[in-house]
Amino acid sequence: MDLDYEGFKKNILLKTGIDLSKYKEAQMKRRLIALREKRSFDSFSDYYQSLSNDRNMLDEFLDRMTINVSEFYRNPSRWEVLEQKILPRLLGDRLSLKAWSAACSTGEEPYTLSMMLSEFKGITNFSILATDLDEQVLEHAKNGFYFEKAVQDVPNVKKKRYFSKQELGLKVSDEIKKHVTFRKQNLLSDPFGKDFDLIVCRNVMIYFTEEAKAVLYGKFSKALRPGGVLFVGSTEQIFNPGLYGLESEEPFFYRKK
Ligand SMILES: C[S@@+](CC[C@H](N)C(=O)[O-])C[C@H]1O[C@@H](n2cnc3c(N)ncnc32)[C@H](O)[C@@H]1O
């Protein structure tokens, strides 16, 4: 056992509430060693000593351990399935929808959902809770500004309808923003809401250990209303959904029984 790294994990848990032992170890350690070496520290204990007294270093650490890459309409064919198959079934004869984008990063995912729901026929009211561990990405998300390159895959009609042009990029309109509430939340330690019709949790589970994932699947299932759906990332199939009271509805979509 690497006592130096074990001590670092304990200190980080005490200081930030982030439990690094729930993230896949080899991957996380490799990333943090690279960061430590960039800062010229030979051990995690020396690195922690500095980090604990330096807000910039702490932010740099948080930025490195949370991988924030996101895209509008990430894996477009999955969003098509959501729009054409899942939403019509989910809504049935309801007029409203309560959704959660868990680990939403810089906001592309909840805003994609908000654009889609805004055009969905028959729906009169919807809310999207969007959460992430990282305060910096949440600030970016709330602001809703994106450089041109980040919105290149948004269809032109939607760009025109839901974004306003700024000098260096585009800003999401208030009409789309008003449905989304951003909140800081650690999926591994904070409580979950309930009665969601739809939970979108994509491209974060891959970083967690199998044990942590199993706990999370159970908690997501509890947070859904019966018939509600968990939408996961395109490499994140759940092996045995029945264990958590879920069943596969379409690839990457799990319905609460
Ligand atoms: C790769 S991004 C995924 C963004 C978006 N869901 C998507 O698929 O495009 C992963 C996000 O998970 C967040 N994250 C990592 N660990 C987390 C945790 N324990 N609780 C909540 N969010 C976490 C990171 O801050 C990051 O923004």
Side-chain angles (χ1 to χ4, degrees):
M1 186 185 277
D2 179 347
L3 290 177
D4 185 36
Y5 188 58
E6 291 303 310
F8 182 76
K9 288 196 289 190
K10 276 198 191 111
N11 284 329
I12 289 292
L13 178 60
L14 287 173
K15 187 161 182 76
T16 66
I18 296 171
D19 188 353
L20 291 171
S21 67
K22 293 189 174 158
Y23 291 76
K24 285 181 190 153
E25 175 115 353
Q27 218 180 32
M28 181 59 80
K29 204 168 154 189
R30 203 176 326 116
R31 213 173 313 135
L32 294 180
I33 286 175
L35 186 61
R36 188 191 83 190
E37 287 177 350
K38 183 181 136 200
R39 288 287 186 170
S40 311
F41 292 104
D42 293 331
S43 70
F44 275 110
S45 66
D46 289 348
Y47 176 50
Y48 181 77
Q49 281 311 316
S50 279
L51 177 153
S52 61
N53 297 311
D54 182 334
R55 184 69 217 195
N56 287 337
M57 270 179 76
L58 180 64
D59 286 344
E60 182 187 53
F61 157 78
L62 290 172
D63 189 44
R64 184 63 61 96
M65 64 134 307
T66 59
I67 295 173
N68 300 130
V69 189
S70 191
E71 286 164 39
F72 286 94
Y73 297 93
R74 190 171 191 170
N75 314 113
S77 61
R78 299 290 103 209
W79 287 92
E80 268 167 36
V81 173
L82 176 68
E83 188 170 35
Q84 287 163 17
K85 298 198 169 150
I86 306 292
L87 286 177
R89 200 273 301 154
L90 254 185
L91 281 157
D93 40 14
R94 286 160 191 256
L95 299 174
S96 67
L97 186 117
K98 179 176 162 180
W100 174 21
S101 164
C104 65
S105 189
T106 34
E108 291 87 337
E109 183 177 279
Y111 289 141
T112 297
L113 186 59
S114 185
M115 287 190 275
M116 184 174 284
L117 292 171
S118 293
E119 295 189 349
F120 206 81
K121 293 205 175 49
I123 188 169
T124 54
N125 182 23
F126 65 88
S127 65
I128 303 168
L129 170 67
T131 61
D132 201 281
L133 173 71
D134 183 340
E135 286 171 68
Q136 286 184 29
V137 292
L138 288 173
E139 283 312 308
H140 180 157
K142 277 184 212 163
N143 187 7
F145 170 84
Y146 300 92
F147 289 112
E148 282 284 354
K149 195 172 175 313
V151 282
Q152 65 191 8
D153 292 332
V154 177
N156 274 333
V157 275
K158 289 200 169 52
K159 261 193 232 170
K160 284 209 182 90
R161 204 172 293 156
Y162 299 125
F163 291 83
S164 62
K165 198 116 184 74
Q166 313 267 301
E167 202 177 314
L168 294 171
L170 298 168
K171 192 154 183 169
V172 177
S173 71
D174 290 342
E175 185 198 338
I176 289 306
K177 275 185 173 176
K178 74 178 183 202
H179 297 282
V180 186
T181 306
F182 289 99
R183 191 173 302 154
K184 182 177 175 188
Q185 187 212 37
N186 185 343
L187 284 172
L188 298 170
S189 55
D190 291 329
F192 285 14
K194 57 180 185 175
D195 296 330
F196 290 104
D197 298 293
L198 174 67
I199 299 176
V200 184
C201 184
R202 310 183 70 213
N203 306 301
V204 66
M205 294 290 226
I206 30 164
Y207 302 114
F208 298 148
T209 62
E210 292 307 315
E211 296 76 22
K213 274 190 225 173
V215 173
L216 279 177
Y217 293 143
K219 289 176 73 179
F220 281 133
S221 175
K222 271 210 183 101
L224 286 167
R225 61 142 170 107
V229 167
L230 172 64
F231 175 18
V232 302
S234 289
T235 55
E236 299 176 316
Q237 292 100 323
I238 304 179
F239 268 129
N240 205 337
L243 283 179
Y244 313 101
L246 300 168
E247 60 193 357
S248 177
E249 180 163 2
E250 289 283 335
F252 313 104
F253 292 91
Y254 297 91
R255 175 173 43 204
K256 163 92 172 268
K257 287 192 220 166

